[in-house]
Amino acid sequence: FIANSIEMIRDMGETNRAIICPVSNGGDPTGAIGFTLPKDDPNLIMTFHTYYHTYFTFHGAQGDYANYDGPIHYPGRFIRDDEIAQLTDYQKQWLDQWVVIASSDKMELRKEMKVAIDVANELGVPAFCGEYGCSETCPVPDRINWFRDKCDLFREYGVSFANWFGFGDYPN
């Protein structure tokens, strides 16, 4: 699909226009696995999205994530043992067993993003993170930590990036 689209654009005489090419799997970095682009086109850019880890970044924003309104943290354990003990039965019913013990830090963010970055490097094209962001319902200090780590990694790997706060209609 992407190769055909690129060919059509180039056939219209748009040889110098930059084309941003999305990976599959909704833009998730794992969608870069097996991703290919035509060779010898210096104006292609591979794009991906990253919201890792969604239990943190989508906290209170949409779907099942909106049903859990308890405490959440980054970095480290998302929900600490002392906080789990204080949750209401309603809050506890929305927690999967793994999120209770899950944690995340800069190294975890790196592993998730590096999949797409490595593919872009192998293809010899720039990587662009066209979406990344965090729900405004995440606690401000934790949100700042998450954004700082993401931006540090983008800069470290030379990835251009665009923030996204489009989580839909939810209370702030």
Side-chain angles (χ1 to χ4, degrees):
F1 170 76
I2 290 176
N4 291 341
S5 299
I6 293 169
E7 183 179 351
M8 287 173 45
I9 293 167
R10 297 300 182 228
D11 286 349
M12 292 188 305
E14 298 287 349
T15 56
N16 292 320
R17 182 177 301 273
I19 301 173
I20 298 175
C21 306
V23 300
S24 62
N25 197 21
D28 186 270
T30 60
I33 298 169
F35 186 75
T36 61
L37 288 172
K39 299 201 182 306
D40 303 322
D41 189 328
N43 296 313
L44 300 179
I45 302 166
M46 187 188 84
T47 187
F48 65 95
H49 303 167
T50 176
Y51 292 99
Y52 192 76
H53 196 283
T54 54
Y55 273 97
F56 177 75
T57 60
F58 282 31
H59 176 260
Q62 56 184 264
D64 286 345
Y65 305 105
N67 293 315
Y68 174 71
D69 62 353
I72 193 105
H73 304 285
Y74 176 87
R77 286 210 33 204
F78 294 129
I79 306 167
R80 296 186 294 261
D81 289 336
D82 61 315
E83 294 168 331
I84 293 169
Q86 295 176 25
L87 296 178
T88 66
D89 289 340
Y90 177 79
Q91 290 171 323
K92 288 177 184 176
Q93 76 178 340
W94 296 107
L95 295 178
D96 289 329
Q97 191 62 11
W98 71 270
V99 78
V100 173
I101 59 170
S103 65
S104 188
D105 58 20
K106 192 172 185 177
M107 290 304 296
E108 289 292 316
L109 301 182
R110 179 188 308 277
K111 285 192 306 191
E112 184 255 357
M113 289 171 41
K114 194 123 171 37
V115 173
I117 294 166
D118 287 348
V119 170
N121 289 337
E122 289 168 17
L123 294 172
V125 298
F128 169 57
C129 179
E131 281 186 30
Y132 80 106
C134 197
S135 167
E136 292 178 342
T137 61
C138 294
V140 171
D142 301 280
R143 194 173 354 139
I144 289 169
N145 290 336
W146 185 87
F147 274 105
R148 182 201 58 240
D149 285 353
K150 281 288 187 183
C151 291
D152 284 352
L153 291 167
F154 292 141
R155 289 182 187 103
E156 177 182 333
Y157 289 107
V159 174
S160 299
F161 52 97
N163 190 320
W164 177 256
F165 275 108
F167 286 103
D169 218 10
Y170 62 94
N172 290 324

Coordinates of all heavy atoms in Angstrom, one line a residue, residues 82-129:
D82 N 0.7 0.0 49.1 CA -0.1 0.8 50.1 C -1.3 1.4 49.5 O -2.4 1.6 50.1 CB 0.7 1.8 50.9 CG 1.3 2.8 50.0 OD1 1.9 2.5 48.9 OD2 1.3 4.0 50.3
E83 N -1.2 1.8 48.2 CA -2.3 2.4 47.5 C -3.4 1.4 47.0 O -4.5 1.6 47.1 CB -1.8 3.1 46.2 CG -0.9 4.3 46.6 CD -0.2 4.9 45.4 OE1 0.1 4.1 44.5 OE2 0.1 6.1 45.4
I84 N -2.9 0.2 46.7 CA -3.8 -0.9 46.3 C -4.7 -1.2 47.5 O -5.9 -1.4 47.3 CB -3.1 -2.1 45.8 CG1 -2.3 -1.8 44.5 CG2 -4.0 -3.3 45.7 CD1 -1.4 -2.9 44.1
A85 N -4.2 -1.3 48.7 CA -5.0 -1.6 49.8 C -6.0 -0.5 50.1 O -7.1 -0.9 50.7 CB -4.0 -1.7 51.1
Q86 N -5.9 0.7 49.6 CA -6.8 1.7 49.9 C -7.8 1.9 48.8 O -8.7 2.7 48.9 CB -6.1 3.1 50.1 CG -5.2 3.0 51.3 CD -4.4 4.3 51.5 OE1 -4.7 5.4 51.0 NE2 -3.3 4.2 52.2
L87 N -7.7 1.2 47.7 CA -8.7 1.3 46.6 C -10.0 0.8 47.0 O -10.2 -0.1 47.7 CB -8.1 0.6 45.3 CG -6.8 1.0 44.7 CD1 -6.5 0.2 43.6 CD2 -6.9 2.5 44.3
T88 N -11.0 1.4 46.3 CA -12.4 0.9 46.5 C -12.6 -0.4 45.7 O -11.8 -0.7 44.8 CB -13.4 1.9 46.0 OG1 -13.3 2.1 44.6 CG2 -13.3 3.3 46.7
D89 N -13.6 -1.2 46.0 CA -13.9 -2.4 45.2 C -14.1 -2.0 43.7 O -13.7 -2.7 42.9 CB -15.1 -3.1 45.8 CG -14.8 -3.8 47.1 OD1 -13.6 -4.0 47.4 OD2 -15.7 -4.1 47.8
Y90 N -14.7 -0.9 43.5 CA -15.0 -0.5 42.1 C -13.7 -0.2 41.4 O -13.5 -0.6 40.3 CB -15.8 0.8 42.1 CG -16.1 1.4 40.7 CD1 -17.0 0.8 39.9 CD2 -15.3 2.4 40.2 CE1 -17.2 1.3 38.6 CE2 -15.5 2.9 39.0 CZ -16.5 2.3 38.2 OH -16.7 2.8 36.9
Q91 N -12.7 0.5 42.0 CA -11.4 0.7 41.4 C -10.6 -0.6 41.2 O -10.0 -0.7 40.1 CB -10.6 1.7 42.3 CG -11.1 3.1 42.3 CD -10.4 3.9 43.4 OE1 -10.1 3.4 44.5 NE2 -10.2 5.2 43.1
K92 N -10.7 -1.5 42.2 CA -9.9 -2.7 42.0 C -10.4 -3.6 40.9 O -9.7 -4.3 40.3 CB -10.0 -3.5 43.3 CG -9.2 -2.9 44.4 CD -9.4 -3.7 45.7 CE -8.6 -3.0 46.9 NZ -8.8 -3.7 48.1
Q93 N -11.8 -3.5 40.6 CA -12.3 -4.4 39.5 C -11.7 -4.0 38.2 O -11.8 -4.9 37.3 CB -13.8 -4.4 39.5 CG -14.4 -3.1 38.9 CD -15.9 -3.2 38.9 OE1 -16.5 -4.2 39.0 NE2 -16.5 -2.0 38.7
W94 N -11.2 -2.8 38.0 CA -10.7 -2.4 36.7 C -9.2 -2.7 36.5 O -8.6 -2.5 35.5 CB -10.9 -0.9 36.4 CG -12.4 -0.7 36.4 CD1 -13.2 -0.1 37.3 CD2 -13.3 -1.1 35.3 NE1 -14.5 -0.1 36.9 CE2 -14.6 -0.7 35.7 CE3 -13.1 -1.8 34.1 CZ2 -15.7 -1.0 34.9 CZ3 -14.2 -2.0 33.3 CH2 -15.5 -1.6 33.7
L95 N -8.5 -3.2 37.6 CA -7.1 -3.5 37.5 C -6.8 -4.9 37.1 O -7.3 -5.8 37.7 CB -6.5 -3.2 38.9 CG -6.5 -1.8 39.4 CD1 -5.9 -1.8 40.8 CD2 -5.8 -0.9 38.5
D96 N -6.1 -5.0 36.0 CA -5.6 -6.3 35.6 C -4.5 -6.7 36.6 O -3.9 -5.8 37.1 CB -5.0 -6.3 34.2 CG -6.1 -6.2 33.1 OD1 -7.2 -6.6 33.3 OD2 -5.8 -5.6 32.1
Q97 N -4.3 -8.0 36.8 CA -3.3 -8.4 37.7 C -1.9 -7.9 37.4 O -1.2 -7.5 38.2 CB -3.3 -9.9 37.8 CG -2.5 -10.5 38.9 CD -3.0 -10.1 40.3 OE1 -4.1 -9.5 40.4 NE2 -2.2 -10.3 41.3
W98 N -1.6 -7.8 36.1 CA -0.3 -7.4 35.7 C -0.1 -5.9 36.0 O 1.0 -5.5 36.2 CB 0.0 -7.7 34.3 CG -0.7 -6.9 33.3 CD1 -1.9 -7.2 32.7 CD2 -0.3 -5.7 32.7 NE1 -2.3 -6.2 31.8 CE2 -1.3 -5.3 31.8 CE3 0.8 -4.9 32.9 CZ2 -1.2 -4.1 31.1 CZ3 0.9 -3.7 32.2 CH2 -0.1 -3.3 31.3
V99 N -1.1 -5.0 35.8 CA -0.9 -3.6 36.0 C -0.6 -3.3 37.5 O 0.1 -2.4 37.8 CB -2.0 -2.8 35.5 CG1 -3.2 -2.7 36.5 CG2 -1.5 -1.3 35.3
V100 N -1.1 -4.2 38.4 CA -0.8 -4.0 39.8 C 0.7 -4.1 40.1 O 1.2 -3.4 40.9 CB -1.7 -5.0 40.6 CG1 -1.3 -4.9 42.1 CG2 -3.1 -4.7 40.5
I101 N 1.3 -5.0 39.4 CA 2.7 -5.2 39.7 C 3.6 -4.6 38.6 O 4.8 -4.6 38.7 CB 3.1 -6.7 39.7 CG1 2.7 -7.4 38.4 CG2 2.4 -7.4 40.9 CD1 3.2 -8.8 38.3
A102 N 3.0 -4.0 37.5 CA 3.8 -3.4 36.4 C 4.5 -2.1 36.9 O 4.0 -1.4 37.7 CB 2.8 -3.1 35.3
S103 N 5.6 -1.9 36.2 CA 6.3 -0.7 36.4 C 6.9 -0.3 35.1 O 7.0 -1.0 34.2 CB 7.4 -0.9 37.5 OG 8.4 -1.8 37.0
S104 N 7.4 1.0 35.1 CA 8.0 1.5 33.9 C 9.0 2.5 34.2 O 8.9 3.2 35.3 CB 6.9 2.0 32.9 OG 7.5 2.4 31.7
D105 N 10.0 2.6 33.4 CA 11.0 3.7 33.6 C 11.6 4.0 32.2 O 11.2 3.5 31.2 CB 12.1 3.2 34.6 CG 12.8 1.9 34.2 OD1 12.8 1.5 33.0 OD2 13.4 1.3 35.1
K106 N 12.6 4.8 32.2 CA 13.2 5.2 31.0 C 13.8 4.1 30.2 O 13.7 4.1 28.9 CB 14.4 6.2 31.3 CG 14.9 7.0 30.1 CD 15.8 8.1 30.5 CE 16.3 8.9 29.3 NZ 17.1 10.0 29.8
M107 N 14.3 3.1 30.8 CA 14.8 1.9 30.1 C 13.7 1.2 29.4 O 13.9 0.7 28.2 CB 15.6 0.9 31.0 CG 16.9 1.5 31.5 SD 18.0 2.0 30.2 CE 18.3 0.4 29.4
E108 N 12.5 1.0 30.0 CA 11.4 0.4 29.4 C 10.9 1.2 28.2 O 10.6 0.7 27.1 CB 10.2 0.2 30.4 CG 10.5 -0.8 31.5 CD 10.5 -2.2 30.9 OE1 9.7 -2.5 30.1 OE2 11.4 -3.0 31.3
L109 N 10.9 2.5 28.3 CA 10.5 3.4 27.2 C 11.4 3.2 26.1 O 11.1 3.2 24.9 CB 10.4 4.9 27.7 CG 9.5 5.2 28.8 CD1 9.5 6.7 29.1 CD2 8.0 4.8 28.5
R110 N 12.7 3.2 26.4 CA 13.8 3.0 25.4 C 13.5 1.7 24.6 O 13.6 1.7 23.3 CB 15.1 3.0 26.0 CG 16.3 2.8 25.0 CD 17.6 2.6 25.7 NE 17.9 3.6 26.7 CZ 18.5 4.8 26.5 NH1 18.8 5.1 25.2 NH2 18.7 5.6 27.5
K111 N 13.3 0.6 25.3 CA 13.1 -0.7 24.6 C 12.0 -0.6 23.6 O 12.0 -1.1 22.5 CB 12.9 -1.8 25.6 CG 14.2 -2.2 26.3 CD 14.0 -3.5 27.1 CE 12.9 -3.5 28.1 NZ 12.9 -4.6 29.0
E112 N 10.9 0.0 24.1 CA 9.6 0.1 23.2 C 9.9 0.9 22.0 O 9.6 0.5 20.9 CB 8.5 0.6 24.1 CG 7.2 0.7 23.4 CD 6.8 2.1 22.9 OE1 7.5 3.0 23.2 OE2 5.7 2.2 22.3
M113 N 10.5 2.1 22.1 CA 10.7 3.0 21.0 C 11.8 2.5 20.1 O 11.8 2.7 18.9 CB 11.2 4.3 21.5 CG 10.1 5.1 22.2 SD 10.6 6.6 23.0 CE 11.8 7.3 21.9
K114 N 12.8 1.8 20.6 CA 14.0 1.4 19.8 C 13.6 0.5 18.7 O 14.3 0.4 17.7 CB 15.0 0.8 20.8 CG 16.4 0.7 20.1 CD 17.4 1.3 20.9 CE 18.8 1.1 20.4 NZ 19.1 1.0 19.0
V115 N 12.6 -0.3 18.8 CA 12.1 -1.2 17.7 C 11.9 -0.3 16.4 O 12.5 -0.7 15.4 CB 10.8 -1.9 18.1 CG1 10.3 -2.7 16.9 CG2 11.0 -2.8 19.3
A116 N 11.2 0.7 16.5 CA 11.0 1.6 15.3 C 12.2 2.3 14.9 O 12.5 2.5 13.7 CB 9.8 2.6 15.6
I117 N 13.0 2.8 15.9 CA 14.2 3.6 15.6 C 15.2 2.7 14.8 O 15.8 3.2 13.8 CB 14.8 4.2 16.9 CG1 13.8 5.2 17.4 CG2 16.2 4.8 16.6 CD1 14.1 5.6 18.9
D118 N 15.3 1.5 15.3 CA 16.3 0.6 14.6 C 15.9 0.3 13.2 O 16.7 0.3 12.3 CB 16.4 -0.7 15.4 CG 17.2 -0.6 16.7 OD1 17.8 0.5 16.9 OD2 17.2 -1.5 17.5
V119 N 14.6 0.1 12.9 CA 14.1 -0.1 11.6 C 14.3 1.1 10.7 O 14.8 1.0 9.6 CB 12.6 -0.5 11.6 CG1 12.0 -0.6 10.1 CG2 12.4 -1.9 12.2
A120 N 14.0 2.3 11.2 CA 14.3 3.5 10.4 C 15.8 3.6 10.1 O 16.1 3.9 8.9 CB 13.8 4.7 11.2
N121 N 16.6 3.3 11.0 CA 18.1 3.3 10.7 C 18.5 2.3 9.7 O 19.3 2.6 8.8 CB 18.9 3.1 12.0 CG 18.8 4.3 13.0 OD1 18.5 5.4 12.5 ND2 19.0 4.1 14.2
E122 N 17.9 1.1 9.8 CA 18.2 0.1 8.8 C 17.8 0.5 7.4 O 18.4 0.2 6.4 CB 17.5 -1.3 9.2 CG 18.1 -1.9 10.4 CD 17.3 -3.1 10.9 OE1 16.4 -3.6 10.2 OE2 17.5 -3.5 12.0
L123 N 16.6 1.2 7.3 CA 16.1 1.6 6.0 C 16.8 2.9 5.5 O 16.6 3.3 4.4 CB 14.6 1.9 6.1 CG 13.7 0.7 6.4 CD1 12.3 1.1 6.7 CD2 13.8 -0.2 5.2
G124 N 17.6 3.6 6.4 CA 18.3 4.8 6.1 C 17.3 6.0 5.9 O 17.6 6.9 5.1
V125 N 16.3 6.0 6.7 CA 15.3 7.1 6.7 C 15.2 7.7 8.1 O 15.4 7.0 9.1 CB 13.9 6.7 6.2 CG1 14.0 6.1 4.7 CG2 13.3 5.7 7.1
P126 N 14.8 9.0 8.1 CA 14.6 9.6 9.4 C 13.4 9.0 10.1 O 12.4 8.6 9.4 CB 14.3 11.1 9.1 CG 14.7 11.3 7.7 CD 14.6 10.0 7.0
A127 N 13.4 9.0 11.4 CA 12.2 8.5 12.2 C 11.5 9.8 12.8 O 12.2 10.7 13.2 CB 12.6 7.6 13.4
F128 N 10.2 9.7 12.8 CA 9.4 10.8 13.3 C 8.3 10.2 14.2 O 7.6 9.3 13.7 CB 8.8 11.6 12.1 CG 7.7 12.6 12.5 CD1 7.9 13.6 13.4 CD2 6.4 12.5 12.0 CE1 7.0 14.5 13.8 CE2 5.4 13.4 12.3 CZ 5.7 14.4 13.2
C129 N 8.3 10.6 15.4 CA 7.2 10.2 16.3 C 6.1 11.2 16.1 O 6.1 12.3 16.7 CB 7.6 10.1 17.8 SG 6.3 9.6 18.8

